[in-house]
Each structure stands twice: as structure tokens, then as C-alpha cells.
Amino acid sequence: MLDAQTAEKPLTLVKSKANLRKEVDASGQWTVAQIEALFALPLNELMLKAQETHKTYFPEGDVELATLLSIKTGGCPEDCGYCPQAARYDTDVKAEKLMGLEEVLEAAKAAKAAGSNRFCMGAAWREPKDRDIEKVTAMIKGVKALGLETCATLGMLEANQAQALQEAGLDFYNHNLDTSEDFYRSVISTRGYQDRLDTISNVRAAGMSVCCGGIVGMGESREQRAAFLARLANLNPYPESVPINHLVPVAGTPLADQKPLDPLEFVRTIAVARITMPKARVRLSAGRQELGRAVQAMCFMAGANSIFYGEQLLTTGNPEAEQDRELLAELGLKTKQSYKAEVLV
């Protein structure tokens, strides 16, 4: 049986189907081979290990509800192959200006009234300008005053920008790695992998918590999914929030015709994320609507304990709040009641 991760180090042993032990490397980090071995376990065994880990670190078994608002939609200069907000792709998304402060605060009030713990603000920028930071910091202060956790995803950050967001009271900054380093260039060419790691470092240095995950089902192999999770799990510390998105192909983007990932492979990905990052909130993000209720239920069994909650995620659909409440109630899952951020730093 797989031992639960200690608070300081990842699992020291992984037992394969053939009962073979594999040592972690000398640094105590996860290897891609170890994570591939987890993926290869019989599904019921993998699910059991994930559930044991989840119960150890989240004995209350509660689910965090987060709401994501697109405060600046479309017109992005980047070429992320999955994203309908890229200006170069012919999609139905039109470029819009940054939302006003009062409009954002009204949305945050509605999110809190609906039960959300965390309010996330996303802007379709490659990187914000300093004048943008000034406007977003006002939003952060306003949302914090409502008693919500705050999160923002604005693109790449310089160190001084990260510091300004932290001083405004930002709890989390989201900046996804998206996929493994060797598959990354198949999807994005306008921003390097190291650029993403540098932004995460700037966020950590400023004293904020990290929300970092990616998208599966973009055509990557299982080994590349394992490498992606290894990179996340080996961050020091690993992210407090790990959003796992299931690709939603959008007409007009390069990945519009991508074949869907097998739903059980998505469930496996959630379980492996739980085992390798046991103290993180593993979030079901984009693509939940396409997965359906049964697969979502399996993901909760596999250790997912956070969802994006509301009608829309940036530019893609999301199960409506009432449907989410019904599903959680049917599964007997409680929602997180605290508005205090869980921090690993």
C-alpha cells in the first residue's frame, strides 16, 4: 500500500502492480517513471491510494467553491493553441476593455452570496502594464473587503508587479504550466516554459500562494502528462491550488479538432495529482460540463476538492451553480466554509 506523503517530503516508495519498489531520486523528488507507475496501476488500486491520501490531509472532505470572472476578455497577442481569446484566431470571442471596479465588485458579491470562497479575476494579457496593475489592485482591495479569498491571473509578472499585488492583499496568483516542457512548444510559441517558471518564482518571492496546473487532452502522451505532474509536484513548495482542465476544443483554434481524452484517463490524472501533491486543493476546472456527472463524481472520489463554480469559465461554459449544489448534495460532500486561504509557504 502506498504510504501517505509527509508534510515535508514526497512518498519515498511506490509499489507497482508487480509489487516492485522504486526509490525516489537522491533529492527526494518525484521522477517521471514513478508517476508513470502510478498511472499504470489498476484503477481501483489507484483510486484507493488517492482516497487514503485525501482523507489524511483533508479529513473534513470539504470542497472549495471558486468563482472565476473574466475582467478583460479577448485580444490576447499570444498563440496558445487551445485559447479562443487569442487575437489571431477566428473565434466568437471579441476583444473587450478592462471591466470597471464597481462591475467587478457586484460580481464578487453575487459569487459570495452563491457560496463561493474564492474570487478569481482573469485578464487576457500576455503581461500587464503597470497602469493595469494599479487598476487590478483596486479590485483586489475591494474583493478582500467583502471577505473573500482573492486570486488573479494576468499573464507574466515582473517581481515588482507581484509585490504590488501582494501588498494589495492578493492571496493567490494563477499561472499555469499548461503541460510538460517537451510538449509545450507543440501548443505555444509566444511564451517560453521558463517564462512561466519565472513568474511562479516572482509570486513566491512576493509571499503569495500559487495556483498552478494545466490542461490535459491536448494530444500529449501519458508520459508527458506524468512529466507535467512531476514538474508541478517538484516545485518547492508545490502549488496550494492545482487546477486540472480538460480540453474544451473551440472552433477556430488549432486544437478545434483534437480527439477527446478518455474520461478514465482524466480521472487517473486527478488521482495522481492528489497522491503527488497531497496538501493541495486539486480543482476540477474547464471541461467539467463535457465530462458529465458520473465522471465528475469519480474525480471527487479520486481526490478533487475544489471546483470553479458558476455559469462560465472565462469564455467556456460551466455547470450552473444549482446543478453543482445538487451533485455535491447527492454525493454527500460538504463545501468549505472558511474564507481563509490555505498556505503551504
Side-chain angles (χ1 to χ4, degrees):
M1 184 177 294
L2 194 63
D3 299 322
Q5 180 193 21
T6 66
E8 296 78 23
K9 295 181 180 180
L11 296 166
T12 55
L13 298 171
V14 172
K15 191 180 292 184
S16 71
K17 184 179 179 181
N19 203 31
L20 299 175
R21 292 185 178 276
K22 296 186 178 182
E23 302 288 342
V24 297
D25 66 15
S27 67
Q29 295 193 323
W30 284 96
T31 66
V32 175
Q34 277 188 295
I35 294 179
E36 282 191 282
L38 287 175
F39 267 104
L41 289 172
L43 184 59
N44 61 345
E45 186 176 343
L46 176 61
M47 295 284 278
L48 177 59
K49 295 179 189 301
Q51 288 175 22
E52 290 174 341
T53 304
H54 191 201
K55 287 180 180 179
T56 298
Y57 289 92
F58 292 93
E60 295 297 319
D62 59 355
V63 177
E64 175 193 67
L65 304 180
T67 294
L68 175 60
L69 176 69
S70 180
I71 60 173
K72 196 284 175 192
T73 303
C76 182
E78 303 226 55
D79 69 349
C80 305
Y82 52 79
C83 186
Q85 300 201 68
R88 67 190 66 204
Y89 303 140
D90 184 16
T91 67
D92 291 335
V93 177
K94 305 301 181 185
E96 299 176 1
K97 294 181 179 179
L98 183 67
M99 291 174 65
L101 175 60
E102 290 306 315
E103 191 177 1
V104 171
L105 295 183
E106 285 302 312
K109 291 174 186 176
K112 183 176 181 179
S116 287
N117 309 102
R118 186 183 303 177
F119 190 72
C120 307
M121 294 163 277
W125 291 319
R126 172 179 165 79
E127 68 273 308
K129 297 179 173 62
D130 288 343
R131 65 174 181 269
D132 299 321
I133 294 291
E134 291 177 9
K135 294 176 181 177
V136 173
T137 55
M139 297 175 185
I140 293 166
K141 291 174 182 177
V143 174
K144 286 286 286 186
L146 298 174
L148 288 164
E149 293 177 15
T150 53
C151 179
T153 178
L154 314 171
M156 295 183 290
L157 289 183
E158 298 293 338
N160 65 309
Q161 294 176 323
Q163 190 62 42
L165 294 174
Q166 188 277 333
E167 290 173 359
L170 190 65
D171 296 301
F172 289 82
Y173 192 79
N174 166 260
H175 200 66
N176 289 337
L177 293 182
D178 280 351
T179 188
S180 65
E181 188 167 8
D182 68 328
F183 187 69
Y184 183 85
R185 284 299 181 192
S186 300
V187 182
I188 303 163
S189 69
T190 51
R191 184 190 312 188
Y193 210 73
Q194 188 59 48
D195 293 328
R196 293 181 180 270
L197 295 170
D198 289 345
T199 289
I200 293 168
S201 295
N202 288 337
V203 170
R204 281 294 188 204
M208 288 182 286
S209 295
V210 169
C211 177
C212 183
I215 306 172
V216 297
M218 296 191 291
E220 76 284 351
S221 65
R222 176 180 280 185
E223 181 181 7
Q224 288 166 327
R225 279 190 291 280
F228 156 64
L229 291 176
R231 176 71 81 159
L232 286 176
N234 290 333
L235 292 173
N236 186 22
Y238 52 74
E240 284 85 354
S241 292
V242 181
I244 304 295
N245 298 274
H246 186 280
L247 177 69
V248 179
V250 178
T253 65
L255 292 177
D257 297 321
Q258 179 61 45
K259 181 180 177 181
L261 183 70
D262 186 303
L264 292 183
E265 184 72 8
F266 185 80
V267 173
R268 287 180 180 275
T269 304
I270 295 295
V272 173
R274 167 53 61 216
I275 294 166
T276 56
M277 293 169 280
K279 296 173 72 176
R281 287 279 177 179
V282 177
R283 179 179 298 141
L284 297 182
S285 298
R288 281 201 298 129
Q289 194 169 42
E290 289 74 15
L291 290 172
R293 287 163 51 87
V295 176
Q296 287 184 67
M298 290 186 70
C299 289
F300 289 123
M301 292 175 64
N305 60 350
S306 178
I307 59 172
F308 269 131
Y309 178 72
E311 294 183 6
Q312 185 160 306
L313 278 182
L314 296 180
T315 57
T316 59
N318 197 45
E320 294 184 2
E322 185 59 36
Q323 294 176 4
D324 285 332
R325 287 193 291 267
E326 290 176 359
L327 177 59
L328 293 174
E330 274 191 54
L331 298 177
L333 296 173
K334 299 179 294 183
T335 57
K336 179 186 174 186
Q337 297 302 305
S338 172
Y339 292 92
K340 183 177 180 181
E342 297 153 339
V343 181
L344 297 182
V345 287

